[in-house]
Amino acid sequence: MLEEKVIDFTAVKEILDVCLRLDSKGLVNAYEGNVSIKRDGYLYITPASKNKAFLKEEMICILEADSLKQVGGIFPPSSEMLLHTLSYQARPDIAGVIHCHAPYLTAFALCNKPVESKAYPEMMGNFKKIQVAPYGRPGTPAIFDEARELVKKNDVVLLANHGVLAVGKDIWTVMNKTEACESIAKVLTLAEQIGKPVNLSDDECQFFIAK
Ligand SMILES: [Zn+2]
């Protein structure tokens, strides 16, 4: 029986709110995408294969962060839980993780193409370049073996032939970064369709990259 004092309903509520937002922005599809928060020795994570638009409090999985023993939630955790636990191991400074198949970012990931631009100052200033980790089979430790070094230095990483992994100090920051990166990937894709993006000079690019 889970003692009431260890249940952080704030964390559960934050996950539900973030899932609704990700769903409303079209960043998760019916079965894919997972969200977690690590707080006070517990891992709160979305259940496997449930639509993010219809999650309820009791569906959010609660696990002891060290043993990964499930102590709350009526369903098993996401099949990508390893991606979350390994991210927390690699980045002791983070407390939130989102993995999803946001359409534009995932399209870049399928092409194994980093998101980068010399024409978009906000992109350069905020994210420099969103890099691609080599392919690792989803649901296995291989997925993170390939991403570990990039995740240590970057809050948003594309997973080749798969999707995007975003981490940060709190789940709201992670959500905002996921949204912002998806928007950038969309803009760059549209710009390529409309014409040829006009690159800024190297000096001007450097100004933003150095910020
Ligand atoms: Zn995935």
Side-chain angles (χ1 to χ4, degrees), residues 32-34 80 99-101 138 162:
E32 297 162 339
N34 23 84
E80 292 290 12
H99 163 58
C100 65
H101 303 174
H162 186 169

Side-chain angles (χ1 to χ4, degrees), residues 4-182:
E4 193 143 335
K5 65 181 164 64
V6 304
I7 305 175
D8 186 337
F9 284 107
T10 313
V12 171
K13 180 77 168 52
E14 285 175 27
I15 288 184
L16 294 178
D17 287 347
V18 165
C19 285
L20 279 181
R21 173 77 179 177
L22 293 173
D23 179 73
S24 74
K25 301 292 280 183
L27 301 180
V28 287
N29 69 26
Y31 300 115
E32 297 162 339
N34 23 84
V35 176
S36 75
I37 290 173
K38 188 177 179 188
R39 188 174 292 168
D40 298 331
Y42 288 90
L43 180 69
Y44 301 79
I45 187 166
T46 46
S49 303
K50 299 292 175 198
N51 192 311
K52 304 300 167 292
F54 301 103
L55 293 176
K56 304 275 184 260
E57 281 189 1
E58 64 273 18
M59 296 164 79
I60 303 302
C61 307
I62 308 172
L63 300 99
E64 292 175 353
D66 292 336
S67 68
L68 297 184
K69 180 179 160 215
Q70 185 166 355
V71 294
I74 59 175
F75 295 119
S78 163
S79 60
E80 292 290 12
M81 190 173 74
L82 257 182
L83 198 51
H84 293 250
T85 55
L86 293 173
S87 294
Y88 290 115
Q89 276 177 23
R91 288 283 300 272
D93 60 310
I94 63 167
V97 174
I98 292 175
H99 163 58
C100 65
H101 303 174
Y104 285 89
L105 288 171
T106 302
F108 275 80
L110 297 190
C111 296
N112 291 203
K113 189 176 174 190
V115 180
E116 58 187 333
S117 171
K118 289 186 165 184
Y120 197 169
E122 292 300 317
M123 157 76 203
M124 287 182 266
N126 289 329
F127 297 101
K128 323 301 181 204
K129 173 180 178 179
I130 305 169
Q131 302 184 70
V132 188
Y135 175 76
R137 184 179 295 168
T140 72
I143 190 177
F144 197 80
D145 287 344
E146 299 294 351
R148 182 173 284 103
E149 291 312 308
L150 284 178
V151 174
K152 281 182 180 172
K153 297 192 187 108
N154 301 275
D155 287 348
V156 183
V157 172
L158 297 183
L159 306 171
N161 300 81
H162 186 169
V164 58
L165 176 65
V167 305
K169 63 184 170 57
D170 62 74
I171 201 63
W172 304 109
T173 305
V174 184
M175 184 192 77
N176 284 335
K177 287 189 175 181
T178 306
E179 259 185 65
C181 289
E182 173 68 355

Side-chain angles (χ1 to χ4, degrees), residues 192-209:
E192 289 287 350
Q193 291 171 0
I194 289 167
K196 179 146 179 53
V198 177
N199 288 343
L200 300 173
S201 69
D202 286 348
D203 277 356
E204 191 65 7
C205 291
Q206 205 46 48
F207 172 81
F208 292 105
I209 288 169

